[in-house]
Amino acid sequence: LSAGATSFLFTEYRYVGAFMVAFAVLIFVFLASVEGFSTESRACSYDSSKLCKPALATAVFSTVSFLLGAVTSLFSGFLGMRIATYANARTTLEARRGVGKAFIIAFRSGAVMGFLLAANGLLVLYIAINAFKLYYGDDWEGLFEAITGYGLGGSSMALFGRVGGGIYTKAADVGADLVGKVERNIPEDDPRNPAVIADNVGDNVGDIAGMGSDLFGSYAESSCAALVVASISSFGINHDLTAMLYPLVVSSVGILVCLITTLFATDFSEVKAVDEIEPALKRQLIISTVLMAVAIAVVSFVALPSSFTIFNFGVQKEVSWWELALCVGVGLVAGLVIGFVTEYYTSNAYSPVRDVADSCRTGAATNVIFGLALGYKSVIVPIFAIAVSIFVSFSFAAMYGIAMAALGMLSTIATGLAIDAYGPISDNAGGIAEMAGMSHRIRETTDALDAAGNTTAAIGKGFAIGSAALVSLALFGAFVSRADVSSVDVLTPKVFIGLIVGAMLPYWFSAMTMKSVGSAALKMVEEVRRQFNTIPGLIEGTAKPDYATCVKISTDASIREMIPPGALVMLTPLVVGIFFGVETLSGVLAGALVSGVQV
C-alpha cells in the first residue's frame, strides 16, 4: 500500500510540477508587465505621496510565494499519506486488543497529520513574511500583495490533488465492488479481488493526501485574504505588526487548543464500546469550539488595539476589538453547525440515512432518487449558517471580517483533520485485516471504526466547503477593491452574462470529473472481469491476481484526466479577464462561487 501510494503521488507530482512551473512563469510575466518590466519605484496606490517598490519586485516575490505555497501543499499531502500508510497496519494490529486501543491509534495518527499540516502552513507563511520584509521594509502594501501568491499556490495544488486522487480512488472503488461484491459475491477487500490494492491505495491518495492539500489551500487563502485587507487598513498604515499578524495569531492559538482537545479523546476518557466511537468524535468538535471561543476573546483583547480602521471599498471603517473577535467566533460556530448538520445527514444513527436504506426495498432506482434528494436537502442549513456568518462579519468588519470568519472556521483545523483522516485509516485497517486473513472479530472491530469514520470524513468535507465559500467571498472582495471596480451591477449585460456563465462552470467541472471516473471505472471493471475469467484458480484462492495492472489503470486515468478540469479552473479567469474585461470577470467569479457552494 505504502509503495503504491508513494509511486502514484510521485507520478502525479511530476505532472503537477511541470504545470506549477508553467503557471509560475505566467504569473511573473503578467505581473511584471503591469509597468512594462520597469525597475523604477512607483507611487503607492492608496497613498500617492509615498513611493512603493516596483511592479517587477512584486512579480518576483509573488512568483516565489506561489511556489512556496504549492510546495507546502504537496508536502502536506505527501506527509499525511505517509503517516496514514504506517497507521493502517498498526490500527489492524491494535484491533486484536479491542475497540478502544484501535481507536486511539487511528485517532492519534489522524491528529499527527492535522498538527503537521496546520503547523507547516503557519511556519512557512511566517518565515516568508519575515524574509520578504527584509526587502520591502516599510512598503507593507507591496509585501502582503506579494504574499497572496502563497494562497494561490496552495489551492491550485489542492485542486490537482483533490481531482487526481478522487478519480483514482473512485475508479478503483467502483471496479472492485461491482465485480467482486456484486458479480462474484466475495467479501469487500478480499485478496482474490484484483482491484483490492488499487482500492486501498485510493483511500490514501484521495481522502488523505487530497483532503490534506484541500484544507491547506483554504487555510492559506483565508490567511492571505485577511493579510491583504489588513495591509491597507490602519494596521498596515501604522505598521502595527502584532495586529497585522492577527490572522496568524488566531491560527497558532488554534493549534494549542486542538492539542488540549485531542487529549479528551485519547487520555482523559477512553472509548470502551463500539457505540462510544461517534460520540467521542463529536465531542472533539464541541470541546475544540468552546475552548477556541474563549481563546479568541483573550487573544483579540491582547493582540488588537481597542479601536482601529478597516479598509472597506475605498473608505476606512471604524472597528473595535470585540467586533473582530465576534467575526472569528461567528465563523467558528458556523463551522460547528455545518459539522453537525453533515453528521445528521450521513450518520446511520439518524432518520435520513435510514430512509435511504428503507427505500432499497423497492430496488436501486428508488434508492438513487432518495439519495439525491437527501444530498440536495442537506444543503439548506449549512447555506443559512454561511449566510448568517457573512452578514454578521461583514456588518462588523467588512471584507476583513469575512476573511477572519473563514479563519475562525479553520482555526480548529488540526482537530477537523484528525477526525477526517481517522476515517480512511480505519477503512484501510479493515482492508488489511481482510487481506491478511485475520479473525472475523478483528474485522468486526475495524468495520465499527470505519462506520463512524465515514460520517466524520463527511464532516471534514463540510468544513472544507464552508470555509472555501467564505474565503472565496473575501478574495472576491479583495479582487474587486484592487481592480478598482466600484460596484458589481447585475443589471448591466456584461456582468449578467458573466454571472450565468460563472454559475455554469461548476457543472462543467463536475461533468468532466464524473465522466473521467466513469470511463476509468469501465476499464477497471473489464480488467477485473478478464482476470476472473482467464486466470485459473483465482476465485478458489489458489492463484494470485495481477494487482499491478489495476493500479496502473487507476494511475493512468487519474493523471490523464486531472489536467482538463484543472486547466478549466485556472485558465477561465485569465481568458475572461483578457478578452471581456474586469466587470464580466467579476460576474463570472460571483456566479461560480454561488453555484459551486450548492453543488
Side-chain angles (χ1 to χ4, degrees), residues 6-369:
T6 310
S7 83
F8 167 72
L9 284 182
F10 277 136
T11 313
E12 183 185 47
Y13 291 172
R14 274 215 305 280
Y15 286 89
V16 169
F19 181 86
M20 190 165 84
V21 173
F23 206 72
V25 172
L26 257 185
I27 291 175
F28 175 74
V29 171
F30 275 137
L31 287 179
S33 63
V34 173
E35 306 271 327
F37 294 95
S38 82
T39 48
E40 300 292 313
S41 293
R42 55 192 172 138
C44 299
S45 51
Y46 297 97
D47 182 0
S48 46
S49 62
K50 290 187 183 144
L51 279 182
C52 284
K53 299 289 187 210
L56 190 65
T58 305
V60 172
F61 283 103
S62 295
T63 310
V64 170
S65 61
F66 169 78
L67 292 170
L68 270 178
V71 171
T72 313
S73 179
L74 296 179
F75 187 60
S76 305
F78 180 72
L79 278 180
M81 191 277 307
R82 293 297 294 183
I83 293 161
T85 47
Y86 286 132
N88 301 338
R90 291 175 188 175
T91 306
T92 314
L93 290 174
E94 284 294 309
R96 294 180 303 188
R97 298 169 54 194
V99 173
K101 298 280 184 259
F103 171 78
I104 287 181
I105 289 287
F107 183 77
R108 278 193 181 150
S109 315
V112 172
M113 176 187 165
F115 288 119
L116 251 177
L117 197 124
N120 256 342
L122 197 62
L123 182 69
V124 176
L125 186 55
Y126 184 70
I127 291 173
I129 290 172
N130 282 312
F132 287 9
K133 216 154 83 212
L134 298 175
Y135 170 79
Y136 276 100
D138 278 349
D139 176 16
W140 281 18
E141 182 199 314
L143 163 64
F144 289 103
E145 192 167 313
I147 286 288
T148 44
Y150 184 73
L152 178 64
S155 54
S156 54
M157 293 307 110
L159 171 72
F160 288 112
R162 215 48 171 134
V163 174
I167 294 171
Y168 187 108
T169 180
K170 293 302 163 233
D173 204 0
V174 173
D177 288 355
L178 274 182
V179 185
K181 275 160 61 174
V182 180
E183 292 178 9
R184 296 287 172 160
N185 209 10
I186 57 177
E188 188 171 357
D189 294 323
D190 191 296
R192 291 171 293 178
N193 191 334
V196 68
I197 296 285
D199 184 10
N200 281 322
V201 168
D203 290 334
N204 288 315
V205 294
D207 293 345
I208 300 239
M211 190 70 199
S213 291
D214 189 4
L215 276 173
F216 170 79
S218 295
Y219 183 68
E221 293 225 290
S222 48
S223 304
C224 292
L227 290 169
V228 165
V229 182
S231 69
I232 52 179
S233 303
S234 62
F235 301 153
I237 296 163
N238 305 337
H239 293 90
D240 179 355
L241 187 65
T242 311
M244 183 68 219
L245 296 183
Y246 177 66
L248 302 189
V249 175
V250 169
S251 304
S252 51
V253 172
I255 296 178
L256 295 176
V257 164
C258 291
L259 266 175
I260 299 165
T261 310
T262 310
L263 298 176
F264 281 95
T266 54
D267 295 71
F268 299 151
S269 64
E270 216 173 292
V271 171
K272 291 188 176 61
V274 170
D275 51 9
E276 290 175 20
I277 299 172
E278 242 179 78
L281 292 168
K282 231 160 95 177
R283 272 200 306 276
Q284 286 290 297
L285 282 179
I286 299 171
I287 294 168
S288 63
T289 304
V290 170
L291 292 178
M292 192 64 205
V294 177
I296 287 167
V298 175
V299 163
S300 306
F301 180 70
V302 174
L304 297 171
S306 57
S307 88
F308 42 88
T309 64
I310 294 291
F311 184 81
N312 176 25
F313 297 121
V315 288
Q316 295 282 357
K317 179 181 162 76
E318 271 290 320
V319 182
S320 48
W321 71 269
W322 58 268
E323 290 178 311
L324 204 48
L326 271 179
C327 293
V328 186
V330 163
L332 191 64
V333 174
L336 186 67
V337 170
I338 292 173
F340 276 167
V341 172
T342 310
E343 197 233 5
Y344 173 74
Y345 278 102
T346 53
S347 165
N348 56 13
Y350 302 105
S351 61
V353 173
R354 295 181 172 191
D355 288 347
V356 175
D358 187 52
S359 71
C360 293
R361 287 180 307 169
T362 49
T366 39
N367 171 243
V368 172
I369 294 167

